[in-house]
Amino acid sequence: MALHRLTSVCIGVPNVAETAAYYEEFGLTRLDDNRFATVDGGEQLRIVHSPQRRVVELGIGVADPDDLGSVDARLAALDVAVAHSPGALAAVDPGTGMQVVITIADPIAQAPAPAIAQNAPGRVDRGTGRAEPIDREKVVRPRKLGHVVLGSTDLEASESFFIQGVGFKVSDTIGGAASFLRCSTDHHNLLVQSAPIPFLHHTSWQVDDVDEIGRGATALLNKDPARHVWGLGRHHIGSNFFWYLKDPAGNFSEYYADMDCIVDDQLWDPEVWNDMRALYSWGPPVPGAFLAPDDLAGLMASSHQQ
């Protein structure tokens, strides 16, 4: 695949300082100018001021200039305006209104997470000893930005932009409502879903395992229980464990682990999902605020006034 990673996301919010403090608590490493880094991905989040919360920019990495040229040609074939700069090009998705910047970037190199011995029926892998995760004390640090979920007012246009134009591949779909798209071997790096206005639903950040999800969420909720949105659970599409929390601007942020990987495109058959498996395999009931964020009506009103 010519595309190989998400490089970064830039989020616009009205309360920059408060939101930046949240993502530092979330476990991202603060750099300067409200920029944040993950353990393996380097700088992957920037927070800027905006009258209302939104995604300002999404970064995608390609391997070399030829790959950049291929993206340029495909976008031109769709009559999408492209801005060029050394080693990069930028275009706007008409459905989400988000600027997408494609750059030549190094792939993410990840050291393997330590294997955890787990006891099971008929299998005592730990011998005589306590489980390793219960003694962890270090702050949970996300390894990389995994995916971004966006509302699009023109799902067909967004699908065309990202699939035919940029070069994402389809992993699974929710019939007529959403597409799970990938630019790496992860099951999905982008989910675009039909929505009444363009908006950011959530960003998702990879951690080592389900215990890191639980530890990270617990630390945030101990400081403010109102941050809870949905979790702990496991998705069917992508298979990942999840826990969603809310930042001070109203964006959801997800800790995830154990995502499906598609290392051979020929061995993966995208499916269309129309039942509850489109949302999850197990976990607490889906809260209404997850499907339609509490501030969605306000965002819609602001959008109509512009």
Side-chain angles (χ1 to χ4, degrees), residues 61-247:
V62 297
D64 56 46
D66 288 342
D67 296 327
L68 205 61
S70 296
V71 175
D72 191 11
R74 291 194 299 267
L75 289 171
L78 295 176
D79 292 325
V80 173
V82 177
H84 301 85
S85 58
L89 58 85
V92 175
D93 165 40
T96 64
M98 174 184 66
Q99 178 165 265
V100 176
V101 179
I102 299 98
T103 59
I104 299 170
D106 293 331
I108 292 179
Q110 293 193 291
I116 304 300
Q118 292 184 313
N119 292 339
R123 194 188 76 225
V124 184
D125 291 348
R126 282 203 304 274
T128 303
R130 302 184 194 279
E132 177 273 330
I134 67 171
D135 289 327
R136 295 177 186 172
E137 295 181 350
K138 292 182 179 179
V139 173
V140 172
R141 298 292 185 191
R143 298 284 295 266
K144 70 175 182 180
L145 170 64
H147 57 271
V148 175
V149 176
L150 300 167
S152 170
T153 56
D154 190 334
L155 181 59
E156 185 176 347
S158 290
E159 290 172 333
S160 178
F161 176 88
F162 284 108
I163 299 167
Q164 282 76 44
V166 180
F168 278 71
K169 296 188 177 180
V170 179
S171 297
D172 284 302
T173 58
I174 300 173
S179 290
F180 292 79
L181 309 177
R182 67 185 186 275
C183 64
S184 72
T185 56
D186 292 342
H187 175 274
H188 58 280
N189 303 105
L190 179 67
L191 169 59
V192 286
Q193 57 187 7
S194 183
I197 57 167
F199 76 101
L200 170 62
H201 187 275
H202 72 266
T203 58
S204 187
W205 306 85
Q206 183 193 55
V207 294
D208 283 352
D209 54 37
V210 68
D211 283 284
E212 293 298 89
I213 293 176
R215 291 201 318 114
T218 298
L220 286 170
L221 296 178
N222 282 344
K223 294 184 178 180
D224 184 356
R227 291 167 166 173
H228 175 72
V229 177
W230 185 31
L232 174 72
R234 187 160 196 164
H235 287 302
H236 190 93
I237 302 178
S239 300
N240 50 296
F241 294 103
F242 66 81
W243 199 321
Y244 296 90
L245 303 115
K246 183 166 63 175
D247 74 22

Side-chain angles (χ1 to χ4, degrees), residues 245-297:
L245 303 115
K246 183 166 63 175
D247 74 22
N251 305 298
F252 300 156
S253 54
E254 176 191 16
Y255 288 119
Y256 82 92
D258 195 17
M259 171 79 72
D260 289 335
C261 288
I262 302 174
V263 295
D264 188 333
D265 293 331
Q266 301 303 313
L267 299 179
W268 184 266
D269 292 321
E271 296 187 51
V272 179
W273 304 92
N274 292 301
D275 56 22
M276 285 304 293
R277 290 175 296 176
L279 288 168
Y280 69 136
S281 176
W282 58 259
V286 185
F290 181 81
L291 301 175
D294 293 336
D295 65 347
L296 189 58

Side-chain angles (χ1 to χ4, degrees), residues 2-13:
L3 311 180
H4 61 78
R5 61 174 290 196
L6 293 184
T7 54
S8 63
V9 62
C10 177
I11 300 174
V13 299

